[in-house]
Amino acid sequence: MIKIHTPKSHPRYLSQLYRDLLADGVETGVTSLQGMTAHGRAETFDYLIGEKTYPFAKSAIDAAAALLVLAKHPVISVNGNTAALVAKEFVELGKLIGNNLEVNLFHASKEREKKIKEHLIKNGAVKILMPGKGRIVGIESNRRMISEEGQSIADVVFVPLEDGDRTAALEKMGKRVITVDLNPLSRTAQTATITIVDHVNRALPLLITRVKVFKKFTHEKLEKIIREFNNKKVLSESMIHIQKRLQTLALQK
Ligand code: PTJ
């Protein structure tokens, strides 16, 4: 049972709830200690953005949903932070797009891989892919080890809360990469095919809704959504948004 420390009436309830989920993740062996630091950095960006889903994120969510629906072999990559924050949402999204959830960790730990698998199953997953004999070419971290049934043969890989090198390496291997990252300056945000600059807990429910809608669309319509999407443009819009927001707040009397 997760210990929630903050009453729902608290003005920063959601922010505290996500901290509690991650603290529980660390206690149960799902999340790495470093995951808390990663989340802290994201909290700062969320504060600057204004803790809402803005149009630059909504258009990226649409493009991501279109790409996931069109993909032949989409894979959702799960790490210790996303397992603690959005396990249920990953399972629901997985069921809509072929059930390919794959555990992939930066901070190597066989024990944590097992705990994450169990956690996903507890949240309704039927099948979990684990790191295996597949390899991502060009990276040396633990993330290079992938499933031969998963990322090895994927055409689209969803890597929310990623840490850099893998996105570029996967793209070099001919795959398209979708990420969720509140930091538009991160290497992953800058190199992904589609970057959703939003909190993963706000983005995932919206992505699921759009995937459900887009499953009824024609291929032509989905291809048009992807063609018209420009990742550089949404990254610029998110940075200009932060700049304008700070300027408005700074000049308030
Ligand atoms: O479980 P592991 O070992 O695979 O490790 C997972 C973490 C996330 C600790 C690891 O991948 C890592 O160190 O990542 P980084 O380099 O800190 O990058 C994570 C990115 O995700 C950063 O740019 C953060 O701003 C962003 N981020 C973190 N939490 C959220 C987020 N973006 C959106 N929503 C969040 N809740």
Side-chain angles (χ1 to χ4, degrees), residues 4-42:
I4 312 281
H5 294 275
T6 313
K8 277 200 174 148
S9 57
H10 192 281
R12 302 204 48 75
Y13 170 72
L14 282 179
S15 174
Q16 296 297 330
L17 172 69
Y18 303 142
R19 287 183 180 188
D20 288 343
L21 291 176
L22 287 168
D24 185 74
V26 172
E27 274 170 23
T28 56
V30 161
T31 308
S32 66
L33 266 179
Q34 293 89 335
M36 303 294 260
T37 328
H39 185 77
R41 179 160 59 191

Side-chain angles (χ1 to χ4, degrees), residues 75 77 102 104 136 146-147 150-154 157 166 170 175:
V75 169
S77 179
E102 179 173 337
N104 183 285
I136 298 177
I146 52 175
S147 162
Q151 288 182 72
S152 287
I153 53 167
V157 191
R166 182 166 59 141
L170 285 170
K175 302 169 196 300

Side-chain angles (χ1 to χ4, degrees), residues 86-223:
V86 286
K88 267 204 174 5
E89 289 83 352
F90 271 175
V91 172
E92 188 177 352
L93 180 63
K95 284 184 179 158
L96 292 166
I97 57 165
N99 267 326
N100 289 315
L101 294 182
E102 179 173 337
V103 177
N104 183 285
L105 301 184
F106 181 74
H107 305 96
S109 160
K110 285 286 155 212
E111 183 61 20
R112 208 152 57 80
E113 283 171 6
K114 196 170 142 261
K115 290 264 165 81
I116 292 173
K117 180 178 179 176
E118 285 163 5
H119 182 65
L120 291 167
I121 288 171
K122 216 167 68 194
N123 278 280
V126 279
K127 184 182 157 202
I128 307 297
L129 301 166
M130 300 300 277
K133 293 208 172 97
R135 291 290 177 268
I136 298 177
V137 187
I139 60 168
E140 284 177 19
S141 75
N142 187 63
R143 285 211 189 283
R144 73 188 186 286
M145 287 183 276
I146 52 175
S147 162
E148 286 170 301
E149 286 175 68
Q151 288 182 72
S152 287
I153 53 167
D155 52 348
V156 175
V157 191
F158 184 33
V159 295
L161 282 53
E162 178 65 5
D163 46 63
D165 300 345
R166 182 166 59 141
T167 300
L170 285 170
E171 290 194 333
K172 265 198 191 138
M173 287 168 79
K175 302 169 196 300
R176 295 208 265 181
V177 180
I178 302 165
T179 194
V180 179
D181 196 329
L182 275 162
N183 176 4
L185 301 168
S186 80
R187 279 179 305 147
T188 301
Q190 293 283 331
T191 46
T193 318
I194 299 172
T195 305
I196 302 168
V197 184
D198 200 6
H199 196 294
V200 74
N201 288 82
R202 289 195 301 269
L204 258 289
L206 295 173
L207 181 61
I208 291 166
T209 305
R210 296 312 271 165
V211 166
K212 284 181 184 162
V213 173
F214 285 9
K215 282 185 91 157
K216 297 178 197 131
F217 283 14
T218 61
H219 278 202
E220 289 71 35
K221 205 165 167 178
L222 295 173
E223 273 155 12

